[in-house]
Amino acid sequence: MSISTREWQLVRRPHGEPVAEDFRLVSAERPDPADGEVVVQTIAMSVDPYMRGRMSAAKSYAASWELGETMQGGAVGQVVASRSDAVPEGALVLHGLGWRDVAVVPAKHVSVVEPLPGLPLSLYLGVLGMPGLTAYAGLFRLADFREGDAVFVSGAAGAVGSLVGQFARLRGASRVVGSAGTPEKVRWLREELGFSAAFDYHDGKVADLLTAAAPDGIDVFFDNVGGEHLEAAIGAFRTYGRAALCGSISGYNATTAPPGPRNLGFIVGKQLTLRGFIVGSHADLRPEFVGAVSGWLQDGSLVARETVVDGLDSAVDAFRALLSGGNTGKMVVRLAPDPS
Amino acid sequence: MSISTREWQLVRRPHGEPVAEDFRLVSAERPDPADGEVVVQTIAMSVDPYMRGRMSAAKSYAASWELGETMQGGAVGQVVASRSDAVPEGALVLHGLGWRDVAVVPAKHVSVVEPLPGLPLSLYLGVLGMPGLTAYAGLFRLADFREGDAVFVSGAAGAVGSLVGQFARLRGASRVVGSAGTPEKVRWLREELGFSAAFDYHDGKVADLLTAAAPDGIDVFFDNVGGEHLEAAIGAFRTYGRAALCGSISGYNATTAPPGPRNLGFIVGKQLTLRGFIVGSHADLRPEFVGAVSGWLQDGSLVARETVVDGLDSAVDAFRALLSGGNTGKMVVRLAPDPS
């Protein structure tokens, strides 16, 4: 016996921007679940910027994907067959074997999740999942956010950035400034998410735009973009400014290393702290994070927007769109109707 | 009545490397001490890299010096006239009005210091003073040094760097690596100061030299130099590496901003922390610092070397030599015989 699946594989390492030919969608036969395994029908899978790094052969914090192997990533689904007492058929689960319509996975590698009445299950891939914890850990632990701080977040309309700005507002920031890549995103940040100011980084030099948006300077910077944004933030920092460096999507498709900020001397003079981090090192914050975010979701004070792409066939397109800013909020690929 | 003094003034803001014409040595008449003031005969004055910043009009953490005003800086001397009960004639004092042979200064702005039997009083300008506290705060607070760490220090033969490396060794570093600018300095670091390895940064790419000197990578970087050294350290860091950024003497005479490191992406991937600092913000560590360093000096486990230049007339030359690495250990200018 076996289970027919459809799965996305990496067949060539992208050079610069990933193209369709770097991937293939294959039909595969997976063996029936062994003892302790479950079969999960994917409801939604995640595409995330960090996956670009896994497509590269360069050493990074996440191991490179092998060519010809099925890719992986966050996914939520429903157990359709179980050989585990701990995770029965029908359970809703979160696991790490995305990029496929059906996953056969050890029960110990899945987390059973509660349905979210009135909310999509895919929130476990975003505000209640890895991106949410990334925003929470970066803002509150790495950047040591304190009430009254002025906060700047780059990539502010993305899955992580849109939460960082809202978390800062909800915890008493004096000012929340975001940058994004389209007028629609900028409007959304200002009008729906309650940012104090936002700008489209295409409209000028980031340093000038930031100075106009935060004329008194900033205390905290949460960076998803890198490059010019980091240089602008270093220039805008007040004394004792703190940056949580989460990623640098502006450079993920770069084929040559861009030069770093020219104003690093300010790090000494302004007594700044720059800290890079990976969410996996901060799992101890999860209970605190889930408590805070669940409360904000329930009382409606937090907006958790998704950009939903339909169908496994579109997953690579969704990933490519993500790298060029085609999402507002969390980008997810929906593979099956949401039962919740 | 008045007191005749000789004083160094800044008369032109240096463009690039300071030249003799940027300064003048003047004879001045200072009024006799007012109530609460003391007259101090300078025994030794300090020249320090941070003074290059004060010569510039650019905003920095230390205010710019005015043109035509006498420069300032650390100095030790003996009180030759006093109108303060707290600081009697004959007292040895540390104060901030260097660059002159005689200073008239409020008693509340001087610190009375103990003679150092068998040691020069100028150690209060180095190992027991601002450079010493800089090394101590940077290594133990900012870089959060822990026993077993592998440490790399740039400008390792300088006043601060030579102490950083020794502090790390004395507190149980697994490896201490230093960079310097001459073969003599490198030999001194290895043979006299107990560095595990040292290299001359003229001998190749800093990244390659560092890899050879610390093949297993580093945990802590203390940076006095900036530029290529910082990029090399970021490349050599292990996970959770920590940098204390103290200065960037390589760029102090630069007339255009050099590009930053091209490998900042490692800050995220390796979860690094980079912290700039200014010693003035860490004065609370002084009692702990003095206790530790006094002990090491007394038991002979710490080498506190000075490069001594004689005479006020040579002070500008000493400062210019400092910026091009003409010192080993602390650069001081001796103006009068040391009574201790």
Side-chain angles (χ1 to χ4, degrees), chain B residues 46-52 74 125 130-131 319 322-323 330-331:
Chain B
S46 188
V47 290
D48 300 285
Y50 80 84
M51 293 173 173
R52 180 65 184 82
L125 303 176
M130 182 270 286
F319 175 69
L322 173 78
L323 291 182
K330 178 72 183 96
M331 179 78 99

Side-chain angles (χ1 to χ4, degrees), chain B residues 82-88:
Chain B
S82 172
R83 294 195 56 195
S84 158
D85 293 340
V87 183

Side-chain angles (χ1 to χ4, degrees), chain A residues 59 61 230 240 245-248 257-262 264-265 267-278 281-282, chain B residues 61 230 240 245-248 257-262 264-278 281-282:
Chain A
K59 192 181 165 195
Y61 59 90
L230 178 56
Y240 300 125
L245 307 183
C246 177
S248 50
R262 288 172 186 271
L264 287 183
I267 297 179
V268 178
K270 298 185 187 181
Q271 308 188 62
L272 308 180
T273 298
L274 272 55
R275 303 190 69 185
F277 75 106
I278 292 169
S281 301
H282 302 280
Chain B
Y61 58 90
L230 178 56
Y240 301 125
L245 307 184
C246 177
S248 49
R262 290 173 185 272
L264 287 182
F266 282 139
I267 297 180
V268 178
K270 297 186 189 181
Q271 308 187 63
L272 307 180
T273 298
L274 272 54
R275 303 190 69 187
F277 75 107
I278 292 169
S281 300
H282 302 280

Side-chain angles (χ1 to χ4, degrees), chain B residues 5 12 151 153 170-171 196 231 237 301-302:
Chain B
T5 67
R12 188 176 68 182
V151 174
V153 54
L170 290 164
R171 286 274 172 87
S196 320
E231 182 167 298
F237 266 132
S301 53
L302 188 68

Side-chain angles (χ1 to χ4, degrees), chain B residues 150-151 175 210-211 214-219 236-238:
Chain B
V151 174
R175 193 165 184 79
L210 179 55
T211 300
D216 298 328
I218 60 172
D219 304 294
F237 266 132
R238 298 168 175 156

Side-chain angles (χ1 to χ4, degrees), chain B residues 12-86:
Chain B
R12 188 176 68 182
R13 302 208 179 278
H15 181 77
E17 191 180 342
V19 294
E21 293 70 31
D22 299 327
F23 308 91
R24 71 175 172 207
L25 182 59
V26 301
S27 292
E29 299 292 317
R30 293 283 181 182
D32 274 350
D35 199 35
E37 288 185 332
V38 294
V39 181
V40 183
Q41 172 85 46
T42 306
I43 295 167
M45 58 162 274
S46 188
V47 290
D48 300 285
Y50 80 84
M51 293 173 173
R52 180 65 184 82
R54 301 202 66 179
M55 294 173 189
S56 161
K59 192 180 164 192
S60 178
Y61 58 90
S64 294
W65 282 326
E66 297 296 328
L67 296 182
E69 299 275 322
T70 299
M71 299 188 288
Q72 302 185 350
V76 285
Q78 189 156 29
V79 174
V80 293
S82 172
R83 294 195 56 195
S84 158
D85 293 340

